[in-house]
Amino acid sequence: MVAKEVALVMPKMSMTMTEGVFVAWHKAAGDRIRQGDVVCEVTTDKVDMEVEATVDGVLARLVARPEDVIAVGEPIAYVESEADDLLEGLFDAPEASGPVPEEPRAPEPQPVRAAEKRGVAAVPAARRLAAERGVDLAALTPTGPWGTIRVADLPAGRLAKPAPARGRAAVARRMTPSALVPQFVLYRDVDLAGAERARNGASWTAVFVHVLAAALRAHPAFNASWSGDTLVRHEGVAVALAVDTPRGLLAPVLTDPDLCGLDELGSRVADVVSRAKAGKLGLAELSAPATTTVSNLGGLGVGAFQALLTPPQASALAMGAVERKVVPVPDGVGVRLRCSLGLTVDHRVADGADGARLLSTVQELLDGGLV
Amino acid sequence: MTTTESRTLTYAEAVREALSQAMEADERVFLLGEDVGTYGGAFGVTGDLVHRFGEERVRDTPISELGIVGAAVGAALAGMRPIVEIQFSDFTAQAMDQIVNQAAKIHFMLGGAATVPMVLRAPGGSGTGAAAQHSQSLEAWFAHVPGLKVVMPATAADAKGLLLAAIDDPNPVIVLEHKLLYKQSGVVPQSPARVRLGETAVRRDGTDLTIVATGVMVSRALEAAEQLAATGIEAAVLDPRTLRPLDSKTIVDSVTATGRALLVQEAPKTGGFMAEVSAAIVESPAFGHLTAPVTRLCGLDVPIPYAPQLEKAAVPQTEDIVKAATGLVNQW
């Protein structure tokens, strides 16, 4: 069996993924690998993912380098493999008896983007410092001989700045379009006396995921997105839950969280939060389309805040601290368990009064609608 | 006699002192070569040693380099400690079979059962108007051969200390002295102190670039470093002293700190020893610290000319080193 080079390509890990950023090699050139071995790590716009070998063989050539942006389907590396290709020859023309006309060779897949990056001439120290500081060499103007980037061509700053956490870039990419959405925020303190009796140990986060989903189902106009110049309504409700993790902000998606009991939802929320912090979320959980987001900073002592919309979602709920507050009650003042909510709304989808009605539904659900 | 004193000796006197101390210390040590006896050596290095140690131990030989080295290899195998002088290192070409095919390999071919503890001293380099057949720098020839050690002392103290270490060594060592250095003086310890083989000397500290130089180029690099310092460029000057085995770690450490390497040799560039030093740097962790290409400044790829102006132009001079170093620092 003759060894041949098989390309290991950037996988398409979600419907919306068109390119990935190469993160790190887990194997070195020359390493023997088996199908299923983790070869490298790439990051999509949502999460870091491990890329597995698709064939047995020897990792012959590494094409991608850290920070390379590689289109889906473009090679990351080439594997020298003797593995049988069951499709090999299947689509070839039937063997002719006479002399076979020479077929033009299929062009080798070209690692276009990676090659462009590799074309940047820079002294080794400049490469090292650029990597440390998270500077894109290709964006610099070379002033050295032969058009080579010198150390002096790097942005000033002797102190090596730590490279931004990988999660930051993902957050930046996802949240920048938010600035194009006309959005307003409604604040309302909700009373949690009823919910406190009913929640049966479930976390407040789970409670609000549940009631927000149920409220959206009751106000289907909110469970929509503005697309182009029309309103697109969504069938199901899916709540993205913002989770603070060591690798940055992640937002695993809980689909139809109001259709199961609060006990079960409590377990689901606890599970995704712990797996998010451990970096064990599946891609599907992160890339499922969400129709709204819940963000809870109450545990960090925040009283109330404004969450930004994550386009194309039309709403986002910001939870402040759940705490006992002195509030007016009939005939005087009293102490009640309360929480300040901030509801952010895409003004193209709904108006302020619609948002106010949604919050009223939330309060009603808290008062007695919990399952 | 105290043994800790130092005095100023010429490089030639330092070599002679090493020879005499070795001969006094060990009866197996003897000298052989053309005119090493009564004449005192082609460059006067052996001087009066024949009168002090007799013709048995300071042996004049016929004009036959192959025979001289062959005799030394045989004597070494028989347990003696021969020290051969070849008048000009160029003439080692005549003795190459004995050096490369016999001396270097016998220890290995006999499974370690025999050793060839001989030393071959030979002056190399240009600058004396001795022209193409008497002025070459052939260190790369010998450094390429497994089984040979190669040293190039650049100072009077090293001329003595490295030679004593070479005489102690159980394997063949080629000592390439430099004709221009013979009359240069330096402080030399009176004691028979050895300079260990395989240790690069840091002749000068610096932060902006590392100049690695061998032989007579060491003193030129030091002169250049002084001139560079006046312009604000601090150059470290390193002298490998032993080409094989090469102490590349000291070089790598220095280049890691400075980020720039200027490698200076008198020999022609192509296939020269500094190519080896260059490779040692870029194959090391120093690579990631390079702020400039590793740069060689070498002799021209020409036979050394006879005309003094051309001879001078054919090998790096102090001003050439200054110019190359300045470019390396300012361009990068």
Side-chain angles (χ1 to χ4, degrees), chain A residues 44 78 87 101 112 147 157 162 199 232 240 313 327 366 371:
Chain A
T44 69
Y78 289 92
L87 298 180
V112 180
R199 69 182 177 122
V232 179
Q313 299 166 23
V327 294
L366 290 169
V371 181

Side-chain angles (χ1 to χ4, degrees), chain A residues 123-126 128 144-146 148 150-151, chain B residues 287-293 329-332:
Chain A
V123 295
R128 192 172 54 87
W146 320 309
T148 309
R150 307 182 300 156
V151 172
Chain B
F287 175 76
H289 296 267
L290 288 174
T291 59
V329 171
N330 290 344
Q331 278 192 300
W332 297 97

Side-chain angles (χ1 to χ4, degrees), chain B residues 156-212:
Chain B
D158 274 5
K160 178 179 176 181
L162 286 169
L163 179 54
L164 285 168
I167 295 167
D168 287 349
D169 198 279
N171 296 298
V173 181
I174 311 295
V175 181
L176 294 169
E177 296 159 3
H178 199 288
K179 295 189 269 296
L180 284 184
L181 294 176
Y182 279 137
K183 289 180 182 168
Q184 288 195 4
S185 297
V187 175
V188 179
Q190 198 150 24
S191 72
R194 272 65 173 162
V195 172
R196 279 165 52 104
L197 305 183
E199 285 185 1
T200 293
V202 179
R203 301 289 182 200
R204 188 183 198 284
D205 275 324
T207 51
D208 296 321
L209 83 158
T210 300
I211 302 177
V212 182

